Amino acid sequence: MTRIANSKAARAYGSPLRAQQAEETRERILDGTVRVIAGGLAFVSIPQVAREAGVSVATIYRHFATKRDLLGAVYAHSVRRAGLGEVVIPRSMDELRGGLRAYFERTDSFGDLARAAMASPASDEVRRLNMPDRVALFRRLADSIEPKPSKADRDRIARLLVILTASSALRLWRDQLGSSVDEAADDVDWVLRAVIASAVSRKGS
């Protein structure tokens, strides 16, 4: 009885530790993936990530069943690293400018490694895998618009938001136009309100 009780206690004690170790390994794999992507390669391979992360290929597959799963997790990982997960998602157009400013401010604070990864050809696959979630998020925002534009126009607004809030768009504002975070947020807000006014007017005519 004593051995059984001790065994159960050991498992209870070891489980959180194993969970922590697993999470640390997962984070190391994702950090390694970001470094591989930042290297400017057109494609990412699992063996490359394993070498960069200092783990075996088998270890990667224990955490990510496929390369698609691994690359699909990179965006959320980068969001957490940049603190973007703390940004409140706008639920209406009235909240849009504040949400854009907070998002742009956090994105602008990305380190050199994250910026290099986002500019790499290999990041195209990461963006493609995460695009459905981004489009769905902005469709929910477009659906909050009152008076409500047509469904076709709400879909157009969602797609426009995806483009205007892309990290590449922010780089253009910052690096090529010399705009501040506030100016970029104001520009996006102005464009969206002009588009919405046009869409609502056209629907009512």
Side-chain angles (χ1 to χ4, degrees):
M1 287 289 289
T2 302
R3 274 200 303 273
I4 292 174
N6 287 343
S7 176
K8 287 182 179 178
R11 282 200 298 272
Y13 176 82
S15 181
L17 179 60
R18 284 197 296 273
Q20 180 184 343
Q21 290 170 339
E23 182 59 26
E24 288 172 354
T25 301
R26 188 177 189 277
E27 293 288 303
R28 194 183 344 158
I29 291 167
L30 288 167
D31 284 339
T33 306
V34 171
R35 289 194 296 272
V36 169
I37 293 172
L41 299 172
F43 300 99
V44 173
S45 74
I46 296 298
Q48 286 171 327
V49 173
R51 286 193 297 272
E52 187 63 42
V55 300
S56 68
V57 168
T59 296
I60 292 179
Y61 281 119
R62 275 200 297 273
H63 290 268
F64 303 94
T66 65
K67 188 175 91 167
R68 181 186 180 90
D69 290 342
L70 172 60
L71 294 179
V74 167
Y75 179 75
H77 175 71
S78 299
V79 163
R80 286 196 305 275
R81 281 279 194 258
L84 285 171
E86 301 166 9
V87 174
V88 177
I89 303 299
R91 292 168 296 179
S92 68
M93 290 304 299
D94 290 338
E95 298 177 0
L96 178 62
R97 190 198 173 281
L100 285 170
R101 189 190 182 287
Y103 174 78
F104 282 165
E105 194 170 52
R106 292 299 178 93
T107 303
D108 196 42
S109 69
F110 275 179
D112 292 340
L113 182 65
R115 290 182 184 179
M118 287 188 292
S120 167
S123 67
D124 288 343
E125 189 173 359
V126 174
R127 278 189 284 270
R128 190 164 53 250
L129 289 170
N130 286 280
M131 189 55 64
D133 289 338
R134 284 176 58 80
V135 172
L137 186 155
F138 288 124
R139 275 192 179 135
R140 289 194 295 273
L141 179 58
D143 285 340
S144 75
I145 298 169
E146 293 292 345
K148 207 172 285 296
S150 69
K151 183 181 184 307
D153 282 341
R154 294 200 305 274
D155 287 343
R156 290 188 183 100
I157 290 167
R159 292 193 295 269
L160 184 59
L161 273 165
V162 169
I163 294 168
L164 290 176
T165 59
S167 57
S168 55
L170 181 57
R171 286 199 300 273
L172 280 172
W173 263 295
R174 183 190 61 231
D175 300 339
Q176 306 301 324
L177 298 174
S179 299
S180 67
V181 165
D182 280 327
E183 288 169 331
D186 283 341
D187 287 350
V188 175
D189 185 63
W190 183 87
V191 168
L192 263 295
R193 291 186 185 279
V195 168
I196 290 167
S198 175
V200 170
S201 173
R202 186 172 57 199
K203 185 183 179 185
S205 62

